[in-house]
Amino acid sequence: MYSRVSELKNLTLSALDGDIGRSRDFLFDDEHWAVRYLEVNTSRWLIGRRVLISPAVVGVPDFDDKRLPVDLTQSAIEDAPGLDKDQPVSRQYEAEYASHFGQMYYWWGAGLWGDGSNPGDIVSRVEVPVTPEENVVNSIEEDCHLRSAEEVIGYRTHAIDGDLGEVEDFIVDTRNWSIAFAVLDTGHWLPGRKIMLPVVWVNGIDWAERRFNIDVTKAALESAPEIEEPLSAQSITAFYEHFGKSVTGHPKQ
């Protein structure tokens, strides 16, 4: 199921014993393009704290009721390791977070989520050693690659032969919480048209300049078929085939 980040914002998160707040932001991994945490606005419940929820405990969004189920209790969330509102998310904090909720590290394995492909694969699947082995310690000491979707929306996008416009939104596959597309506002270049850019084509992000660099020409994107929403497998396949690529974004063999 594909959903825009803008559609996933401001959904009420319902824990097992009551509501905990509304989705405010989405922290994604800029190496694997997966949403690792939902940041929650808890209103007056946990004032001054950043509250993060892993997609590993999130159910299917209910857009009619604007709700998102969370398989946790309020007390489990309240007792989670503290993170001040303006404090960055470190790998050490992520390790403490995973230990508190009985999850394995999402970055520890060959899959998108640990050794698996879905967020649920990190829940109670592998027990992290109490005394970590050397490779686990090294992984904790590495920098995490989390970025705020709210911050990145508005970045410029630069094709091989010039600017395309700005990032207006992201489209998330909520089956595994991977980011599939960036939605571009093309401004004066193609007025009135939105372009969906597969994130696998982003070949570099200049964080200082707030810019995405992609390895596609403007002409190629201009002639690409538009993808209608809600997205279907057929329209996505047709889009990729226009570029002679598979749905993974790589050239066909």
Side-chain angles (χ1 to χ4, degrees):
M1 180 178 181
Y2 293 93
S3 302
R4 284 177 174 244
V5 160
S6 57
E7 295 173 322
L8 294 165
K9 279 189 70 173
N10 294 317
L11 297 184
T12 298
L13 276 71
S14 303
L16 296 173
D17 52 356
D19 295 343
I20 60 175
R22 294 179 181 273
S23 51
R24 173 169 56 194
D25 196 3
F26 302 84
L27 304 184
F28 69 92
D29 174 353
D30 67 8
E31 288 192 321
H32 298 94
W33 291 96
V35 173
R36 301 303 186 184
Y37 301 101
L38 287 71
E39 187 165 351
V40 185
N41 179 0
T42 61
S43 188
R44 298 179 181 178
W45 177 38
L46 298 174
I47 298 174
R49 277 181 55 180
R50 294 184 74 184
V51 175
L52 306 181
I53 300 295
S54 167
V57 294
V58 170
V60 178
D62 183 340
F63 291 110
D64 291 334
D65 288 340
K66 298 187 180 301
R67 286 187 172 271
L68 198 57
V70 176
D71 190 20
L72 294 173
T73 62
Q74 291 181 332
S75 59
I77 296 167
E78 188 171 6
D79 294 340
L83 189 66
D84 292 340
K85 202 167 186 179
D86 298 323
Q87 185 179 351
V89 180
S90 67
R91 186 68 93 201
Q92 183 64 46
Y93 174 81
E94 289 192 279
E96 294 173 3
Y97 179 99
S99 177
H100 173 75
F101 289 112
Q103 300 170 4
M104 68 173 286
Y105 306 146
Y106 68 76
W107 65 88
W108 192 28
L112 183 64
W113 292 91
D115 283 328
S117 58
N118 295 299
D121 292 328
I122 66 173
V123 179
S124 302
R125 182 174 172 183
V126 175
E127 184 177 349
V128 178
V130 176
T131 304
E133 299 173 0
E134 183 177 355
N135 63 336
V136 179
V137 174
N138 290 341
S139 74
I140 293 174
E141 292 176 348
E142 293 176 358
D143 291 335
C144 61
H145 292 266
L146 298 179
R147 305 288 178 178
S148 159
E150 188 175 61
E151 176 188 339
V152 172
I153 289 172
Y155 275 24
R156 292 183 297 116
T157 306
H158 187 78
I160 293 172
D161 51 353
D163 287 344
L164 293 171
E166 295 183 347
V167 177
E168 178 185 271
D169 212 339
F170 288 108
I171 293 179
V172 177
D173 183 345
T174 55
R175 292 169 298 183
N176 61 7
W177 287 87
S178 63
I179 296 179
F181 295 92
V183 181
L184 305 185
D185 181 346
T186 59
H188 297 298
W189 173 49
L190 293 174
R193 184 176 173 191
K194 309 295 183 184
I195 290 180
M196 293 187 186
L197 174 73
V199 294
V200 292
W201 297 353
V202 177
N203 61 8
I205 303 176
D206 188 328
W207 299 109
E209 296 294 329
R210 297 172 56 86
R211 183 179 70 199
F212 282 23
N213 297 313
I214 63 172
D215 60 353
V216 179
T217 65
K218 293 172 68 174
L221 281 173
E222 185 174 7
S223 62
E226 292 194 56
I227 302 179
E228 297 182 358
E229 297 182 77
L231 294 178
S232 67
Q234 292 81 1
S235 64
I236 292 174
T237 298
F239 180 89
Y240 280 114
E241 286 182 344
H242 171 81
F243 295 93
K245 299 186 178 185
S246 68
V247 291
T248 62
H250 300 295
K252 287 189 173 181
Q253 301 298 321

